[in-house]
Amino acid sequence: MTTPASVASDLVSLPDVTAQDEVVEICRDLLRIDSVNRGSGDGNERAIAEYVAAKLAEVGLETTLLESEPGRASVIARVEGADPSRAPLLIHGHLDVVPADPADWRVHPFAGEILDDCLWGRGAVDMKDMDAMTLAVIRDLVRSGRRPPRDLVLAFVADEEAGGVLGARWLVDNHPHLFADCTEAISEVGGFSYTISDNLRLYPIETAQKGIAWMKLTVAGRAGHGSMINDDNAVTALCEAIVRLGRHRFPIVLTPTVRMFLDSVGDALGIDVHAEDLETTIAKLGPIARMIGATIRNTVNPTQLDAGEKVNVIPGEATAYVDGRFLPGQEEEFLRQIDELIGPAVRRDWVVYDQALETGFDGPLVDAMASALRAEDPAARAIPYMLSGGTDAKSFSRLGIRCFGFSPLLLPAGLDFAGMFHGVDERVPVESLRFGVRVLDRFLAAS
């Protein structure tokens, strides 16, 4: 579906607002739209995609709404820049969120409530905050008649929380022409502040991310009565393999991105970073320690178990699901160790398998990010880092696009930002959204 661009006559009736004025309301609207993705095809982004398309069409942008399956909708739009000879910049964000149980939250996760100067809701940081900031900045850009230095391609996509098979990956496989001329991209989980002191805040920009290896492990055994001795019990064999995986610690491997990050942090904190005691150093990083600690080695975590239907029946098969992540350059070694740990009796099948990424912390785009941050926060110092998870950058990078995580937020020093992702009581400070809008506006003007 394509919405028409011929709505210029309506623009005069739009209120005279700025991106800072409307970013909170847009984010609030997005949080109130249930776009939960439970995986295995169980999701529906149609309603939120239509909201995004309407917001862009309201200021005269033509949008294309595409569905990979009924309800699994993504929205693409293009903003014309001043120099058509330059390659466009891709700004992409996902519209789906992971489930949330209202019983666990202080406020309802889909109420979009403002409490304690924060906007609460599932997706507040992952990643409806960046979706809202992008919408607010682009709407303000078009309303004011300003043209970015180059074309901007906007992609608001489905299914990121289940690996992007019905979202970014589907778009890249089936509609690559929409992004074919893009050379660089920005998206989630980067550009957030980490306070060292009143005079120094580090802003990690994502230049790398671990590969994804979600796997299903299956063991076949001999079914039988629960009262009898069974030396071929599938549950026992599977549990033994799961324990080996869950207790294993992969060796430390420092990629160029992680080494640069640790050197930058060590310099900022005035401490020596020693390879033989990295975990002690990382433990001093407070709220982001868990995220960074997972980037110095491959990881694997058992997450689901399934076997049997009755307590007195030994099942003939047992299955488990495992979340594996591997560092750039470590894929082959990671798979070798996984197979060694689970043993020959366990069958391994991929649920989601995707590449690791790493790019350099250099070039005009990185300079524009750093400059935009410093202009709004004189204490800002941009540094590179590796994301322990994965994003839709994995799919878009297949087109040769250089991808960065840059969703700028100035955060309170004590906020457990890493814990917000997929966590209970997810929230984003209202002033952080406004800060992000100002930074993004500066960045786009210089990129």
Side-chain angles (χ1 to χ4, degrees), residues 56-71:
L56 295 173
E58 188 179 42
V59 294
L61 290 176
E62 182 178 282
T63 66
T64 300
L65 193 151
L66 298 166
E67 285 190 330
S68 55
E69 292 181 356

Side-chain angles (χ1 to χ4, degrees), residues 245-410:
L245 282 176
R247 300 294 185 195
H248 184 70
R249 288 295 174 267
F250 292 86
I252 290 175
V253 177
L254 296 185
T255 68
T257 294
V258 174
R259 188 178 296 278
M260 189 178 296
F261 171 86
L262 291 172
D263 287 345
S264 298
V265 170
D267 178 67
L269 294 175
I271 59 176
D272 292 327
V273 178
H274 299 293
E276 63 272 15
D277 196 21
L278 281 180
E279 281 149 328
T280 299
T281 300
I282 291 171
K284 298 176 182 179
L285 302 183
I288 64 170
R290 283 176 294 171
M291 182 185 294
I292 301 305
T295 65
I296 62 173
R297 52 166 51 97
N298 299 326
T299 57
V300 61
N301 281 300
T303 54
Q304 293 178 274
L305 293 169
D306 185 23
E309 296 182 6
K310 201 168 184 288
V311 69
N312 64 341
V313 177
I314 298 172
E317 185 176 274
T319 61
Y321 291 86
V322 174
D323 184 334
R325 312 281 173 145
F326 55 89
L327 296 168
Q330 290 293 303
E331 181 176 1
E332 185 176 330
E333 177 62 15
F334 172 76
L335 296 179
R336 186 195 67 76
Q337 292 189 50
I338 289 292
D339 287 340
E340 183 178 286
L341 287 165
I342 63 176
V346 181
R347 188 178 81 238
R348 168 173 57 77
D349 297 300
W350 296 126
V351 178
V352 174
Y353 190 86
D354 214 338
Q355 63 183 333
L357 301 176
E358 188 162 30
T359 188
F361 189 62
D362 55 15
L365 197 72
V366 171
D367 293 341
M369 295 178 200
S371 295
L373 287 166
R374 285 195 303 271
E376 292 298 331
D377 179 7
R381 181 190 299 175
I383 62 173
Y385 93 107
M386 179 186 292
L387 179 65
S388 60
T391 73
D392 285 326
K394 294 183 184 300
S395 294
F396 290 116
S397 69
R398 295 177 187 276
L399 298 174
I401 299 173
R402 191 180 181 209
C403 296
F404 297 89
F406 186 63
S407 302
L409 296 170
L410 173 54

